[in-house]
Amino acid sequence: MIDRRHIGHALPPFTVAVEAGRLRFFAKATGNTDPVYVDEAAARDAGHPQLPVPPTFLFCLEMEQPNPAAMRELLGIDYRRLLHGEQHFRYHAMAYAGDRLRFEPRIADIYDKKGGALEFVRRETRVTHQNGTLVAELTCVTVVRHG
């Protein structure tokens, strides 16, 4: 069983630069043909100062933390027992190419189901602009299988 005393534990914050080339590549990889996500002139014509960050791209940026296994190592979770359970995004402001985004993850909850056969770790991450404005709140639920 995962030690519940880790509920509320803040994982190390980190900052990521949003690069235009990565936004274009993400649009291409996901089949997004909207020119707003690949052409700076089209983005400006649509009222954006730069290429906007596509809605789910924040998840990709979150994976760039210095130690992507930090939570797993803290909780002593065997990666062979992991499943991705859920992913939620709550957006508050747009982010653009050229921004520097700060990610502040924390373990929000740990609970179990099926008599402890499955444990769930809910991680919540606040994402802010370089000026401190809240951009989004990310929630990721990891499932740990036992037995």
Side-chain angles (χ1 to χ4, degrees):
M1 297 294 285
I2 300 171
D3 192 337
R4 288 351 188 220
R5 70 184 163 122
H6 295 297
I7 295 172
H9 180 85
L11 296 162
F14 59 96
T15 301
V16 176
V18 180
E19 299 172 5
R22 292 195 59 210
L23 297 178
R24 289 186 191 97
F25 184 76
F26 183 79
K28 182 179 178 181
T30 58
N32 188 341
T33 58
D34 186 338
V36 166
Y37 293 105
V38 295
D39 182 341
E40 292 173 4
R44 282 192 295 276
D45 288 347
H48 300 288
Q50 280 290 330
L51 296 178
V53 172
T56 59
F57 190 69
L58 293 173
F59 181 66
C60 297
L61 293 175
E62 186 180 28
M63 290 190 291
E64 292 189 10
Q65 59 188 290
N67 179 6
M71 184 181 82
R72 184 175 52 79
E73 291 172 357
L74 173 73
L75 301 177
I77 298 173
D78 181 343
Y79 72 91
R80 295 172 295 182
R81 303 262 178 209
L82 291 180
L83 296 170
H84 180 72
E86 295 178 28
Q87 189 75 40
H88 300 268
F89 302 87
R90 179 178 288 166
Y91 302 101
H92 299 277
M94 293 292 294
Y96 296 98
D99 282 347
R100 292 188 57 80
L101 301 178
R102 179 177 170 86
F103 289 74
E104 298 176 46
R106 72 178 188 90
I107 298 170
D109 198 8
I110 301 169
Y111 55 95
D112 64 86
K113 294 184 178 180
K114 300 193 178 218
L118 298 173
E119 285 190 289
F120 299 78
V121 180
R122 192 175 86 229
R123 183 185 69 237
E124 295 177 350
T125 303
R126 285 178 46 89
V127 182
T128 54
H129 278 130
Q130 57 274 7
N131 64 10
T133 302
L134 181 62
V135 172
E137 297 167 287
L138 316 178
T139 301
C140 179
V141 176
T142 299
V143 181
V144 182
R145 298 174 292 117
H146 296 289

